[in-house]
Amino acid sequence: MSKDSHQQPPTDGETVLLGTARASDERHEACLVIIRGARLGSRIVPGREPLIIGRAVDADFQISERSISRQHCRVFLEDGRYWIEDLGSTNHTWLNDEMIERSPLRDGDLIRISQTVLKFVDEGNIEAGYHSELHESTIRDTLTGLYNRRHAMAVLEKELARARRDEGYALALVILDLDFFKDINDEHGHLAGDGVLRQLSRIAADRVRASDTLARIGGEEFALILPDTRREEAWQLAESIRESVECETFRLGDEEHSITLSAGVATWQPGMESISELLKAADAQLYEAKTSGRNRVC
């Protein structure tokens, strides 16, 4: 894969954090925000494709409540506006306390699905921007600006559900870990270590695609989730990141140092039951890279 094909915008094309000054005509993505019930505070951006809400693991937005049907309702765009449609659910879909089969959505509408209530915020409402920024703050690592572990695990769950549905779907996971990072903290202090982590994050983010998910999942440990990617391609990307880090200089105090990382690559295999099995496979490969000399990809 070429470097250009892996470039990632600072927010993976999802939400840009903005300052306090806003243009008067600025518009934000329409969204649904859960204001009561399971997954309180979650924000859903419907987009242009129909979005299925339900209990099933392959629903676009899953709510794990027994009173919610596997495919409960869908939100879709038609003629420039969003609609909601019940999908024959057992307990029905309610809009502003009225049972509906199909209805257009208006700014401020309340949707009730069993015990869960969602509020529709239209793109013209400045509140949509507030929810966008609030959502970003919950899924980002404060030090590096990358996604955090919680978001990475949610992405993995969604991708594994897709892999189970599609026999030919390839999903790769890379775990990256800095070599001898404890020594950096011990010798140069945690502020220097933080600077190394931020610099590493920028190097890695420059080499991944907008469709990939790069997250900090531990102190010096990072995860790279690669949808629709086979092992050889994932290995090549991890190797390009490793080489770039090795060639970079990192300032620690008054001196410049070279730093390396090791990486483990794993792909989803039929028979895997959970994300923990995929994580365990990638960790095993990372252990192999560490024990066989570090500064390598296995």
Side-chain angles (χ1 to χ4, degrees), residues 177-200 219-220 222 245 248-253 255-261 290:
D177 189 276
L178 280 169
D179 297 327
F180 303 111
F181 184 69
K182 184 178 183 299
D183 293 345
I184 295 173
N185 281 334
D186 291 345
E187 294 177 22
H188 302 279
H190 288 278
L191 287 178
D194 289 350
V196 169
L197 293 174
R198 285 192 290 266
Q199 189 172 347
L200 168 68
E220 69 272 25
F222 299 80
V245 171
E248 188 84 0
T249 55
F250 294 79
R251 179 163 289 279
L252 300 175
E255 300 178 351
E256 291 187 340
H257 291 256
S258 295
I259 294 173
T260 63
L261 63 76
K290 292 284 190 181

Side-chain angles (χ1 to χ4, degrees), residues 140-261:
R140 294 284 175 182
D141 173 58
T142 55
L143 176 64
T144 64
L146 301 179
Y147 288 119
N148 57 27
R149 183 182 182 89
R150 178 181 178 182
H151 181 71
M153 297 305 105
V155 170
L156 266 181
E157 288 283 11
K158 183 177 179 180
E159 290 299 328
L160 277 182
R162 182 178 175 185
R164 292 187 189 103
R165 294 195 308 266
D166 185 352
E167 186 177 337
Y169 184 68
L171 172 64
L173 172 66
V174 180
I175 303 294
L176 306 110
D177 189 276
L178 280 169
D179 297 327
F180 303 111
F181 184 69
K182 184 178 183 299
D183 293 345
I184 295 173
N185 281 334
D186 291 345
E187 294 177 22
H188 302 279
H190 288 278
L191 287 178
D194 289 350
V196 169
L197 293 174
R198 285 192 290 266
Q199 189 172 347
L200 168 68
S201 299
R202 290 193 293 270
I203 294 169
D206 281 343
R207 284 154 181 80
V208 300
R209 303 166 298 191
S211 58
D212 301 333
T213 299
L214 176 63
R216 182 187 179 203
I217 60 172
E220 69 272 25
E221 193 170 68
F222 299 80
L224 182 54
I225 303 167
L226 304 170
D228 199 23
T229 304
R230 304 198 178 277
R231 192 184 194 286
E232 180 60 27
E233 296 174 306
W235 187 93
Q236 290 174 359
L237 174 56
E239 177 65 11
S240 74
I241 294 173
R242 186 204 63 77
E243 288 180 348
S244 297
V245 171
E246 183 182 26
C247 295
E248 188 84 0
T249 55
F250 294 79
R251 179 163 289 279
L252 300 175
D254 296 329
E255 300 178 351
E256 291 187 340
H257 291 256
S258 295
I259 294 173
T260 63
L261 63 76

Side-chain angles (χ1 to χ4, degrees), residues 39 51-63 69-73 158 161 165:
R39 302 185 66 172
L51 180 141
I52 305 295
I53 300 174
R55 194 180 74 250
V57 294
D58 58 352
D60 297 308
F61 188 80
Q62 182 189 24
I63 305 176
S69 298
R70 291 179 57 79
Q71 292 194 340
H72 198 102
C73 63
K158 183 177 179 180
R165 294 195 308 266

Side-chain angles (χ1 to χ4, degrees), residues 34-38 63 65 67-68 111-117:
I34 295 186
I35 62 173
R36 189 172 71 212
I63 305 176
E65 290 184 2
S67 56
I68 292 178
I111 302 163
R112 181 164 60 85
I113 306 169
S114 186
Q115 301 303 309
T116 299
V117 177

